[in-house]
Amino acid sequence: MSGTPTTYRSSPPRLGEDSHSHPSGGGRRTPIGHWNADGHRSSKPAPVIVMAHGLGAVKEMRLDAFAERFVAQGYACLVFDYRYFGASSGAPRQLLDVKSQIADWAAAVSFARSRPDIDPERVVVWGTSFGGGHAILTAANDKRITAAIVQCPFTDGLASLRAVPLKTSAKVTTRAIRDIVSHLLGRARIMIPTSGQPGSTALMTAPDAMPGYLALVPGESTFENQVAARFGLAIGLHTPGRATPKIACPILFCICETDTVAPAAAAQRHASKAPKSEIRLYPHGHFDIYVGEPFERVVADQIEFLRRELPVVN
């Protein structure tokens, strides 16, 4: 651990102002937001929810809104940025590497369990979008996880690719190959926008993608709307939904029925194979459930699930 650990017992701070960090491999350190539970009045350690965001996103992009609601119910929350992104260290910046991000999840869970104010046997993983896929894999690989919540989860790379126009996929693939060749030749990286207008060369180009994605970014965020283009070749090969049969704990799937990024049909198919799955459907798009009435509905469902599966002992 670097720095002096700080806990928060009244109103939670804005994410990114916390001095905590945890090692995430290769000597890198990942800053986290750790919020103590206002509603937890017991002398016993609190249950914790480990949280992280999706494709190229950072923790300031509305994860604080969810964490505040969970904290008010008596749960501690640990929220982190992936290596190479946001407040976390690591170079090159904006490198989206799936294996590294999954390792960051394992490191964050391990760090949460090491804290004396946290019950190491009452750990929940909460992931959204691409991070939802990581949470699925974390729950499948770590049998000590007590429960999991995934919203608009990325479960099937091929299904996501089929939702992208063929011309866009070809342009993304071409840029990804150029980035890999440039890397092998020791030249500068070639970047690609994470979100872009329909028809542009970007990872997400559905009509609701760019406005919905960028609307989550607060003015002071460290967010950058780009990643190293080589990730474009990894999307179709990544299918975390295949791990759902291995998940032993209860898991809540919050699926958006008009999702343009993580198709609902594939998410439902994989969700149904988890032995203890609960599926909630929402008549909204991928980015809608972070704000407004859709947010209120989904966070209420998540709190109800937490109360039932992991009640807070006061």
Side-chain angles (χ1 to χ4, degrees), residues 120-158:
E121 301 306 323
R122 304 184 81 202
V123 177
V124 179
V125 289
W126 183 103
T128 186
S129 190
F130 202 66
H134 295 340
I136 287 171
L137 291 171
T138 302
N141 294 332
D142 186 342
K143 302 307 180 183
R144 292 175 65 194
I145 295 296
T146 307
I149 298 173
V150 294
Q151 65 175 33
C152 51
F154 179 97
T155 61
D156 194 310
L158 288 177

Side-chain angles (χ1 to χ4, degrees), residues 39-178:
H40 188 74
R41 300 305 179 209
S42 173
S43 60
K44 297 180 181 179
V48 66
I49 305 171
V50 178
M51 307 173 64
H53 222 310
L55 191 71
V58 294
K59 60 187 185 295
E60 293 90 349
M61 294 167 68
R62 290 289 292 174
L63 294 197
D64 53 349
F66 287 91
E68 286 174 359
R69 298 298 181 90
F70 300 148
V71 163
Q73 298 297 318
Y75 301 91
C77 289
L78 185 152
V79 192
F80 69 97
D81 281 335
Y82 301 110
R83 68 183 75 180
Y84 313 128
F85 288 88
S88 288
S89 63
R93 303 303 293 169
Q94 302 302 116
L95 175 62
L96 205 166
D97 180 76
V98 174
K99 289 184 179 180
S100 295
Q101 292 194 349
I102 294 170
D104 289 345
W105 271 91
V109 169
S110 179
F111 172 74
R113 288 182 175 140
S114 74
R115 291 187 58 90
D117 53 346
I118 296 300
D119 184 342
E121 301 306 323
R122 304 184 81 202
V123 177
V124 179
V125 289
W126 183 103
T128 186
S129 190
F130 202 66
H134 295 340
I136 287 171
L137 291 171
T138 302
N141 294 332
D142 186 342
K143 302 307 180 183
R144 292 175 65 194
I145 295 296
T146 307
I149 298 173
V150 294
Q151 65 175 33
C152 51
F154 179 97
T155 61
D156 194 310
L158 288 177
S160 291
L161 281 182
R162 284 194 291 266
V164 177
L166 183 60
K167 184 177 180 180
T168 300
S169 292
K171 291 190 294 184
V172 170
T173 299
T174 299
R175 188 171 295 191
I177 293 172
R178 288 176 54 210

